[in-house]
Structures are given as C-alpha cells and as structure tokens.
Amino acid sequence: MARERKRRGENRNMSRAKRAQGRSPAPPYRSSKKRHALKQKPVHSPTGMKAGRELPGLRERKKARLRRQIVETALRLFHKRGYERTRIEDIVKVLEISQPTFFRYFPSKDAVLREVGKKGFACQTEKLKLELSSRATTAERLRRFYETMAKLTEADRPLWQAVVLAGAMDPVRSPDMRKSEEASVSLLREILAQGQDRGDVTRAFPVVHLAEFMEGLFNTVVRQWAVDLTGPHKLTERVRSAVEFFLRAAKP
C-alpha cells in the first residue's frame, strides 16, 4: 500500500511538471507596482487627438462663414429693398436660419451696418497705405485718396446714407469703431508729417490737428451729401472742393 501511494504521488508530480512546461513563462516584472502601471497605461489614438485639435477650428470657421453670409445677405436686401424696408425676418428667411441665431451674431440690424463701417475704414487704410508707398506730393496724395473714397461712396448712396444716419462709423455713437478709425487717421497723420518734412505742408499747426481738420471736413461733406436730397448729388465735386480748401490752408 505504501508503495502504491508513493507511485501515485510520483505520477501526479510528473503530470504537474508537464503542464507547467506547456505554459508560457510569466513576464519578468520586477514589482507589482510596475505591473499595475503598465496595465493602467492609456492607449492614445492619433486620429482622436487630431480630431480634438481640429474641431474648435472647424467651429470657428463655420461661425465666421455664417457671420459673413449674414452681412452679405443683409447688404443684398438693403440694395434691393432699402435699409428701412428690410427686416430681420427677411434676412433670416433668405438664410434659412432662426432669429435667435441671427441675434447671436448681431444684436440689431444697425449692428450689421457697423460691419459696413468697419469695411469702410479698412478700405481707407488700404488706400492710404498705397499713397504712402508712392512718391507723389502731399497734394497729389490727398487729392487722389479722397477722390477715390468719394467715388466708392457715391456708387452706393442709399447704403451710405443708412450708415451715416445710424452713426455706424461714428466712434462716439459706436465705440467699437475707434480702433478702426485710429488705424486710418494715423496713416493720414503720417502723410501730413512727411509733407511737413518735405516743406509742402505748414508747420504752424501740429500734424494731429491737421489730420483732425481734414478728416472732420471730409466726414462733414459726406454726411451732408448723404442726407441732402435736394442739393447737388455729386459727392466727388463736394469732396474735391473740400480738399482744395484744406490744401490752400495747409500751405507753408
């Protein structure tokens, strides 16, 4: 009996040894902490990371596109129906958006006009930079710049009449216009400062004051032209006279 039990024990040990040989060896982890850390290590998805970076940019592009579409649609309707007869309901109907969506971008119809005002200042800035890059005299620069602006404004009188009446370019009534106006006026000051250095603009007044005089003169002429339906409709003629008046007064 003792021999039989011994033989059965040896057989069991041999079976266990064979089973152990068939198993894959355990990985040589040095510690349970390291093994736990490796198990918990997150798997990063390059595609997911890329999507995470792109989504905010995509949202911003969509918002910018819709904002631009609102302005463009509103301007088309202003041209077609007139500013006063164009309602916000008309704008959202064409775009197939809701009024709350419109109000997320613009608090009112007048706010759309302020976008037009910003574009007007941006156009002034662009034209003044072109004049600064030329070698023309101060008089030639001012004549050419203001005549260009007068022609652009005159080409769309109803729209600019609405802009003027709404105060969309007035930095006092629309404080968000101050930065745009300053960018334009600073370039005008630079042109006049160069004129003083050349000797074709008086030094009797500071450049800051001269720029204020010319800018105020131009704005007054445009405002009067926009609302004066009984007077001469040629803005270019009015602006030309204003520029010549300024140039005579600014001679050294």
Side-chain angles (χ1 to χ4, degrees), residues 104-120:
R104 280 203 295 270
Y105 291 86
F106 297 100
S108 65
K109 192 172 65 170
D110 284 356
V112 179
L113 284 182
R114 286 196 287 273
E115 287 294 310
V116 178
K118 287 180 181 178
K119 289 183 178 181

Side-chain angles (χ1 to χ4, degrees), residues 164-177:
V164 169
L165 292 176
M169 292 185 73
D170 187 344
V172 176
R173 295 176 62 180
S174 304
D176 55 335
M177 290 290 111

Side-chain angles (χ1 to χ4, degrees), residues 18-192:
K18 287 180 180 180
R19 286 196 299 269
Q21 289 176 359
R23 295 173 184 167
S24 299
Y29 296 124
R30 295 183 179 180
S31 68
S32 60
K33 289 184 178 180
K34 183 175 181 179
R35 181 169 63 252
H36 179 72
L38 289 174
K39 285 182 179 180
Q40 298 298 321
K41 187 176 181 180
V43 178
H44 296 287
S45 170
T47 303
M49 291 173 64
K50 184 177 180 182
R53 286 195 300 267
E54 289 182 350
L55 281 176
L58 180 61
R59 285 195 296 269
E60 291 304 315
R61 288 195 298 273
K62 285 183 177 180
K63 288 170 63 177
R65 183 166 61 249
L66 181 54
R67 184 183 182 86
R68 185 171 61 252
Q69 289 172 343
I70 291 174
V71 173
E72 292 171 353
T73 301
L75 291 181
R76 283 199 303 271
L77 292 175
F78 294 163
H79 286 300
K80 184 178 179 180
R81 305 179 182 182
Y83 176 75
E84 294 297 333
R85 286 179 289 181
T86 300
R87 303 170 303 168
I88 292 176
E89 292 89 335
D90 301 324
I91 299 171
V92 300
K93 183 178 180 180
V94 172
L95 286 169
E96 297 183 341
I97 61 175
S98 65
Q99 287 196 37
T101 299
F102 176 92
F103 289 125
R104 280 203 295 270
Y105 291 86
F106 297 100
S108 65
K109 192 172 65 170
D110 284 356
V112 179
L113 284 182
R114 286 196 287 273
E115 287 294 310
V116 178
K118 287 180 181 178
K119 289 183 178 181
F121 279 126
C123 181
Q124 289 185 21
T125 299
E126 179 186 351
K127 301 302 181 185
L128 286 169
K129 286 180 178 178
L130 288 175
E131 294 301 335
L132 277 170
S133 66
S134 72
R135 296 186 177 182
T137 64
T138 304
E140 291 170 339
R141 285 173 166 179
L142 293 180
R143 287 182 183 127
R144 188 162 50 208
F145 166 70
Y146 283 108
E147 184 166 355
T148 298
M149 297 309 304
K151 287 180 178 178
L152 291 173
T153 306
E154 197 170 43
D156 198 348
R157 180 173 182 162
L159 175 63
W160 289 106
Q161 183 181 25
V163 169
V164 169
L165 292 176
M169 292 185 73
D170 187 344
V172 176
R173 295 176 62 180
S174 304
D176 55 335
M177 290 290 111
R178 290 174 185 169
K179 186 175 181 181
S180 299
E181 184 199 37
E182 177 57 28
S184 174
V185 176
S186 64
L187 293 171
L188 178 59
R189 287 198 293 263
E190 191 171 345
I191 286 177
L192 293 170

